[in-house]
Amino acid sequence: MTDHMDTDKTVSIPRHVSIIMDGNGRWAKERGKERVFGHAEGVESVRACVEAAAEAGVKYLSVFAFSEENWNRPSAEVGYLMQLMRKVIEGEVDSLAERRIRLLVRGHLDRLGPDLAADIRRAEQRTVPADGGEPLMTLVVFLSYSGKWDILQAARKFAAAAVHQPALLEEASEADFARFLVTADLPDPDLVIRTSGEQRISNYLLWQAAYAEFLFVDKMWPDFRKDDFRAALAAYANRDRRYGKVK
Ligand code: IPE
Ligand code: IPE
Ligand code: MG
């Protein structure tokens, strides 16, 4: 009986929710402020969604924090975002560890400065449950990430592995290839939410979101809080995932 109820819950609660956090700049401009105010306020929305996700029993929450393309923004904004990232990671890591929330940061991290990269590695280590048990939830921050970059770096590693394992070239399955993506140890997203009214994927998890449900919401990211996250879960529960089959 309990088993049956658990099964029902796993169907309606997405295992992995991913968010394209968009609209920080517009949120700030609408208030007559500089774009960076929107980024700072957006951190509050991340906190709120982490709480809401953990409370709802979501096992993986991922957020798109900075894309490969975002490096092309004015250097002052890029610098601000990297500083903010460092400050937030440093400020949040203890609280995450206490709540058994594991932090992972994924992306083209070679492009980050050595200080930020070192902070990230330390924070990831710090949030590994000390008792060796499962975390309550895993929070993945996609930083300096793009979907095409991920697929290309995977293809390079795949090719290198095939030198020693020629059978890979003939026989590799999709799962064999996916082991080279930076998300190899993560489930694919079930639900991808994008805020700010834009309806595009912006080079995010191209491979991994192949069968994700998408939810586009008009609110700017700094306005997206717990109730909005819960509403997104409710919308997901009403979706009918068919995976190409007939029901
Ligand atoms: C999302 O907000 C944050 C990042 C992409 C880093 P934006 O900065 O894209 O804000 P808008 O879309 O210009 O309003
Ligand atoms: C997507 O937002 C990237 C992140 C949320 C980190 P952008 O604001 O960079 O996307 P575009 O430029 O509107 O497609
Ligand atoms: Mg944007």
Side-chain angles (χ1 to χ4, degrees):
M1 194 59 196
T2 317
D3 274 2
H4 180 239
M5 285 169 68
D6 283 346
T7 312
D8 281 346
K9 193 178 168 198
T10 44
V11 171
S12 58
I13 300 284
R15 188 168 172 224
H16 180 176
V17 178
S18 195
I19 309 178
I20 301 174
M21 310 184 288
D22 197 18
N24 293 352
R26 279 165 284 168
W27 182 92
K29 286 282 164 203
E30 281 164 10
R31 284 156 183 79
K33 294 183 172 182
E34 293 301 316
R35 292 175 52 82
V36 294
F37 282 92
H39 298 318
E41 190 61 25
V43 175
E44 288 304 320
S45 297
V46 178
R47 276 198 198 98
C49 290
V50 167
E51 272 184 37
E55 284 165 14
V58 169
K59 285 292 163 193
Y60 294 84
L61 175 68
S62 57
V63 292
F64 196 11
F66 193 88
S67 71
E68 281 275 77
E69 289 76 15
N70 290 151
W71 288 111
N72 299 320
R73 291 188 178 193
S75 64
E77 182 170 344
V78 171
Y80 178 90
L81 281 165
M82 291 303 146
Q83 255 186 310
L84 182 66
M85 197 67 61
R86 236 186 129 181
K87 200 179 103 188
V88 170
I89 287 176
E90 243 177 57
E92 298 294 318
V93 65
D94 286 345
S95 158
L96 291 173
E98 276 160 26
R99 290 179 286 164
R100 285 184 86 82
I101 299 174
R102 175 149 194 223
L103 175 72
L104 296 174
V105 181
R106 295 288 158 83
H108 193 179
L109 304 185
D110 294 348
R111 294 186 78 174
L112 306 179
D115 292 349
L116 178 56
D119 282 355
I120 287 170
R121 291 300 158 227
R122 261 197 303 276
E124 285 182 328
Q125 278 311 310
R126 167 94 181 83
T127 58
V128 175
D131 58 10
E134 284 294 304
L136 175 74
M137 186 176 83
T138 299
L139 170 64
V140 188
V141 176
F142 284 98
L143 185 59
S144 189
Y145 179 86
S146 87
K148 286 188 178 179
W149 165 81
D150 194 6
I151 294 167
L152 183 59
Q153 68 81 33
R156 290 200 185 101
K157 288 180 186 156
F158 178 86
V163 171
H164 305 288
Q165 242 181 303
L168 270 183
L169 292 177
E170 297 287 332
E171 292 159 18
S173 65
E174 289 177 2
D176 291 331
F177 182 78
R179 275 196 274 281
F180 296 96
L181 296 167
V182 297
T183 51
D185 53 344
L186 307 172
D188 285 344
D190 299 296
L191 172 64
V192 175
I193 302 167
R194 182 172 189 149
T195 57
S196 89
E198 307 297 354
Q199 302 189 1
R200 54 177 171 260
I201 196 163
S202 298
N203 205 358
Y204 191 36
L205 298 168
L206 298 180
W207 173 287
Q208 299 86 341
Y211 252 109
E213 295 294 325
F214 282 81
L215 182 71
F216 298 104
V217 300
D218 286 337
K219 276 193 180 178
M220 300 296 153
W221 175 245
D223 285 331
F224 191 90
R225 295 292 162 94
K226 274 181 121 169
D227 284 347
D228 303 292
F229 189 88
R230 293 189 190 115
L233 294 185
Y236 174 85
N238 285 321
R239 298 285 178 95
D240 186 10
R241 302 185 77 184
R242 290 190 288 279
Y243 299 100
K245 296 177 209 160
V246 176
K247 267 200 177 161

